[in-house]
Amino acid sequence: MFPPTPPLVEPGPDKERPMDAQSYSTALTDLRTVRDQIKKTRAVLAKQEADRDKLIVQLASYEKAKAERIAPAAGLGVADVVALAPALAPDSLAAHDAPQPPVTEPSTAQATPEAALPPPQQAAATPAMTTTAARSTPPAPPVEPAAPQAPTTPQAPRELPSIPAGSSGDAWLAPTPGLASTRPNFTQQARSTVFLDTTTGVLVHRNQTHHLDLAARSAADILTAVFHTIPEGVERIYITAGDPWHQSADRYPYLRDAVAAWLNAPTPGWRTDTGRGRDRMAGHFVHARNPVGRYQRENGEEHVEIRSVGEWFDADGDDPATVRDAFVLLWQALRRHWSDAVLMGSPSQTGRDLWTRTIPTRGQHADGFPVLSEELRGLLHATAGQGRNELITPPRVAEQLPQLVEYDRTFAYAKHTWKSPVGAPRRITAATFASWAQKEQMRALYGCGHWQVRVTVPDTWDHVGLLPAPAPGDRAWRYPSQPGTTFTTWAGGPEIHTALANPLQPWKVEILDGILWEDGKPLDDWAKKLKETWSNLSAQAHFQGDPQQARAAHLASRAVRSILLYGIGSFAQRPRMVTGTTPRTMERDVPPDAEIIGFDDELITWQKPTGFARDPNAHPEWAAAIWSGARAALLSQRHRDDDTYAGALHTTPGSVIAFRTDALYLTEPQNWPHHHQPGDYLLKGQLAGPLPAPTTEEELLTVRNAGRAALTTAREA
């Protein structure tokens, strides 16, 4: 909306000199000037946004006005326009419809998911309780069938979908006809790959190192320099450092806008790739941190990807040669278990490809694993969250913390792959569940299921919440813990079982509906091979005498973690989102259901959902089961060999500060065992207090980083 404001202070050659009193005063004056400019710009922006909103409301008064026509003109999504002018709501956006927020994926209809699975948004905190409860483990109480009265919901978050009653709902349980995961009958082809540091211009190709002049570091400059240096061509360029797609970030309000502009900038002699072969990846993948640019020669003879190595691991200043060595070690380690292993562009692609090569060719599942109906996949997408991300703030915790201690579950998801749902599920209604004996009920809840439940927090509860409840916002979850709170939600068997048999006090859980699968092991062989690969590479990193090779082995072990982590995420198969651009002169051609995500003087960048792909490897039931098990293990996890338990419920009430996917942040250290096995709690940071309790995610990450640095210093002392 505004042209970029040039910086008032340009860094000069003497930027490393110590600041004296005069330069300090000058800098303060410049800072005040910038502050005033920001204030004026914000005021102008607020006025223009108000004018825009007034115009939208004015346009809505026209009887033939349509939100899908107004949205691109306003630079907003259809939902934003409807929020300003509810009369423009399309018929398909009924209030009772469940939200289906998509995850951004590569553009064009042939695109496949890229494994970017952001965690749910921050959950809201509730008031603290301080009474200490007994640590005895009570027997699990009978699970109650749904009572006829309407559920009570003290808060009004988004409403989760339900399975329709009767035969229409039962039809959801039938697998998608003609779609199943089967073992491939082809071998993946390796891609010629180079590793490039765009800050230094160092390029590593096989055993050769080159120094490139990357000019302005645009995609065109990178392609020109790389193909001039390697005339025989390459198919994949990994950026190890420099993040060139962020170089104009100060000109855009969001990183995604800057990335989209970088990807869509002119590339003479090249155009956006349209896909090829079995690996039909096409179009650019717009991601704030790890985008993918896909290009092909105008003559169509050469195809190349520009990718971030950050998809695999955090290089953290490692030179391209070390990164190359890490990929070589990773490939060699995987080849010990898969003779035809090939490293694909992303860990999610690699993970799923390796998994397909463990599908049995004989026995019960020789015909493959059936894919759920699109309706059931949509239900799981809307009701099965990923990691637990919750910051607990005062007054639930003290204003001043005695210390902050971080425990991170090592290779956490690998702990929960030993059992997964298989086959076509059964629907378990409230009446059916009520007819079962208690033993049969508990066996079902301990099995592979996904349950719609009404939950009541005990009146004397004084610890963290146990079950996720929908919060306002897409894919957002909260964890109610206020005594007496009642809410309706969906949850997996491991979490339901924890709520009923936790070490403090059983919760009241009423079954409203459910889906139950047979127990199987579709991921067990795959996960065991990856865990062994991870263990071997971790051992190399520890015992290797050469520092560079030790670092490469460590990075390779982190890549194995990404293969499993993002491979599991890719099974979730979110509804696809395609991105595209339309010239400003052809604004009417923007798809009516598209959301405008950026624009400049020439192009409008948009994205739109396209539903679920006909993907033979879509198994959201596997991802949901693993995520549920991981969330439950954050609360309570038994260590059989040590005859002890670990997790949030085995800490003092009020001592849990935050959950972050597979990490716990506490105010007191714990004597939990760590044997370098998947799922073990590793002490990762410890910062002495007193220190103020973090109230934002940014504050939490700042304290976390300080705690990690402090622990490292203490161990080295």
Side-chain angles (χ1 to χ4, degrees):
M1 185 172 294
F2 297 103
T5 302
L8 293 175
V9 182
E10 291 286 346
D14 59 345
K15 62 181 180 179
E16 299 299 332
R17 296 177 184 172
M19 179 172 283
D20 55 23
Q22 182 179 355
S23 59
Y24 178 76
S25 299
T26 302
L28 277 177
T29 302
D30 292 337
L31 182 60
R32 295 186 189 101
T33 304
V34 171
R35 175 201 64 194
D36 294 340
Q37 286 187 348
I38 291 173
K39 186 175 181 180
K40 292 177 182 178
T41 301
R42 284 176 175 165
V44 174
L45 177 61
K47 183 179 182 303
Q48 291 191 347
E49 288 181 336
D51 291 342
R52 177 199 63 194
D53 296 347
K54 289 179 182 178
L55 285 171
I56 290 172
V57 174
Q58 181 181 344
L59 288 167
S61 64
Y62 178 53
E63 61 179 355
K64 295 184 179 180
K66 293 184 178 180
E68 57 267 28
R69 287 290 305 279
I70 296 175
L76 297 174
V78 172
D80 298 317
V81 172
V82 171
L84 291 166
L88 295 176
D91 294 338
S92 61
L93 296 179
H96 62 272
D97 286 346
Q100 295 291 322
V103 169
T104 304
E105 298 193 3
S107 60
T108 80
Q110 298 97 334
T112 55
E114 275 294 329
L117 293 175
Q121 299 176 16
Q122 197 67 43
T126 53
M129 302 295 290
T130 56
T131 307
T132 303
R135 288 296 187 271
S136 59
T137 304
V143 184
E144 302 177 33
Q149 71 271 17
T152 58
T153 52
Q155 301 182 355
R158 74 185 191 278
E159 183 179 350
L160 296 180
S162 301
I163 304 176
S167 58
S168 59
D170 294 339
W172 286 21
L173 277 68
T176 301
L179 196 62
S181 303
T182 56
R183 194 182 185 103
N185 57 5
F186 65 93
T187 301
Q188 291 286 359
Q189 298 300 308
R191 302 280 181 91
S192 175
T193 301
V194 298
F195 303 89
L196 174 64
D197 183 331
T198 59
T199 301
T200 63
V202 172
L203 175 80
V204 171
H205 176 228
R206 297 175 182 166
N207 294 322
Q208 298 178 339
T209 300
H210 307 272
H211 290 80
L212 310 186
D213 180 1
L214 298 177
R217 299 194 302 154
S218 68
D221 294 331
I222 292 173
L223 292 172
T224 299
V226 169
F227 278 80
H228 175 76
T229 305
I230 307 173
E232 65 268 27
V234 299
E235 296 174 278
R236 186 174 294 137
I237 302 170
Y238 275 121
I239 305 300
T240 64
D243 295 342
W245 36 80
H246 290 164
Q247 60 185 347
S248 299
D250 58 337
R251 297 174 52 194
Y252 299 89
Y254 302 104
L255 275 180
R256 278 177 52 86
D257 295 345
V259 171
W262 190 88
L263 292 172
N264 291 310
T267 50
W270 298 83
R271 65 173 184 266
T272 303
D273 202 342
T274 55
R276 57 178 172 144
R278 296 180 181 274
D279 182 19
R280 297 188 63 81
M281 303 298 290
H284 303 316
F285 176 55
V286 182
H287 186 275
R289 301 291 177 185
N290 298 313
V292 182
R294 299 187 178 96
Y295 305 92
Q296 65 182 114
R297 289 280 193 188
E298 292 288 358
N299 59 19
E301 294 180 358
E302 291 178 296
H303 302 251
V304 63
E305 294 179 329
I306 300 178
R307 310 187 73 112
S308 169
V309 78
E311 295 180 86
W312 294 84
F313 44 70
D314 183 3
D316 195 22
D318 294 292
D319 60 79
T322 302
V323 174
R324 184 253 344 254
D325 291 347
F327 275 84
V328 171
L329 288 174
L330 173 64
W331 176 75
Q332 291 173 341
L334 291 174
R335 281 271 172 153
R336 297 188 181 98
H337 298 285
W338 288 275
S339 60
D340 54 354
V342 170
L343 298 183
M344 302 179 70
S346 70
S348 65
Q349 293 172 276
T350 305
R352 286 216 302 182
D353 180 68
L354 294 176
W355 171 75
T356 61
R357 298 173 194 281
T358 64
I359 297 175
T361 55
R362 293 182 296 178
Q364 181 181 0
H365 300 292
D367 294 332
F369 297 97
V371 173
L372 301 178
S373 68
E374 184 168 331
E375 293 83 2
L376 212 51
R377 280 180 276 158
L379 178 78
L380 287 167
H381 165 68
T383 61
Q386 191 181 354
R388 177 170 180 169
N389 284 264
E390 179 184 17
L391 176 62
I392 303 173
T393 57
R396 285 189 63 192
V397 297
E399 294 276 358
Q400 293 290 317
L401 308 181
Q403 60 181 317
L404 187 77
V405 187
E406 177 190 8
Y407 286 95
D408 185 75
R409 294 188 67 227
T410 302
F411 206 10
Y413 287 176
K415 175 78 172 180
H416 307 286
T417 55
W418 64 278
K419 181 178 72 172
S420 301
V422 293
R426 293 183 292 153
R427 182 178 186 180
I428 310 299
T429 64
T432 300
F433 192 87
S435 68
W436 290 349
Q438 181 184 349
K439 184 176 181 180
E440 190 174 5
Q441 290 178 350
M442 294 307 297
R443 184 168 57 247
L445 292 176
Y446 195 67
C448 294
H450 192 58
W451 303 92
Q452 186 180 31
V453 292
R454 182 160 57 241
V455 184
T456 301
V457 182
D459 291 337
T460 58
W461 187 255
D462 69 339
H463 219 296
V464 298
L466 303 187
L467 291 170
D474 292 347
R475 304 288 296 167
W477 301 89
R478 59 190 181 92
Y479 292 82
S481 61
Q482 184 71 21
T485 300
T486 297
F487 59 96
T488 299
T489 190
W490 285 83
E495 291 168 285
I496 300 291
H497 189 269
T498 299
L500 294 168
N502 70 78
L504 303 180
Q505 184 180 10
W507 283 29
K508 180 181 179 182
V509 178
E510 302 171 85
I511 299 298
L512 304 175
D513 207 347
I515 313 163
L516 187 62
W517 288 266
E518 292 182 7
D519 295 353
K521 294 182 176 293
L523 303 176
D524 193 46
D525 184 35
W526 172 73
K528 283 180 177 177
K529 291 178 177 179
L530 289 177
K531 284 186 281 189
E532 185 174 337
T533 303
W534 170 77
S535 296
N536 290 337
L537 288 169
S538 297
Q540 286 186 51
H542 183 71
F543 294 108
Q544 173 62 250
D546 184 331
Q548 178 172 326
Q549 288 301 302
R551 177 62 179 172
H554 171 73
L555 294 178
S557 71
R558 299 297 292 174
V560 176
R561 176 185 178 277
S562 296
I563 288 173
L564 185 135
L565 175 67
Y566 294 117
I568 290 169
S570 70
F571 287 125
Q573 199 235 5
R574 307 294 190 219
R576 298 186 307 163
M577 179 71 81
V578 298
T579 61
T581 58
T582 300
R584 291 291 295 267
T585 56
M586 302 174 65
E587 189 172 297
R588 289 174 175 265
D589 292 341
V590 174
D593 56 344
E595 175 190 1
I596 306 300
I597 60 174
F599 54 88
D600 54 29
D601 293 339
E602 297 181 357
L603 294 174
I604 298 172
T605 304
W606 48 265
Q607 63 182 14
K608 58 174 287 188
T610 60
F612 290 97
R614 190 173 170 81
D615 183 353
N617 296 321
H619 291 286
E621 68 276 21
W622 297 348
I626 291 169
W627 294 339
S628 177
R631 290 193 299 269
L634 276 177
L635 298 169
S636 182
Q637 173 179 282
R638 184 185 178 192
H639 292 261
R640 288 183 174 84
D641 294 342
D642 300 276
D643 192 25
T644 189
Y645 289 83
L649 294 180
H650 303 278
T651 66
T652 305
S655 66
V656 179
I657 301 302
F659 297 86
R660 190 170 172 81
T661 308
D662 51 10
L664 269 178
Y665 298 85
L666 310 172
T667 62
E668 54 190 23
Q670 304 294 323
N671 189 28
W672 292 336
H674 185 268
H675 303 300
H676 303 280
Q677 295 299 313
D680 287 357
Y681 280 89
L682 171 67
L683 176 62
K684 200 152 185 189
Q686 187 168 7
L687 184 64
L691 50 95
T695 58
T696 66
E697 183 180 18
E698 183 178 4
E699 291 177 0
L700 173 66
L701 295 180
T702 298
V703 178
R704 179 201 70 178
N705 294 340
R708 290 180 178 180
L711 183 62
T712 299
T713 301
R715 286 172 172 170
E716 292 175 350

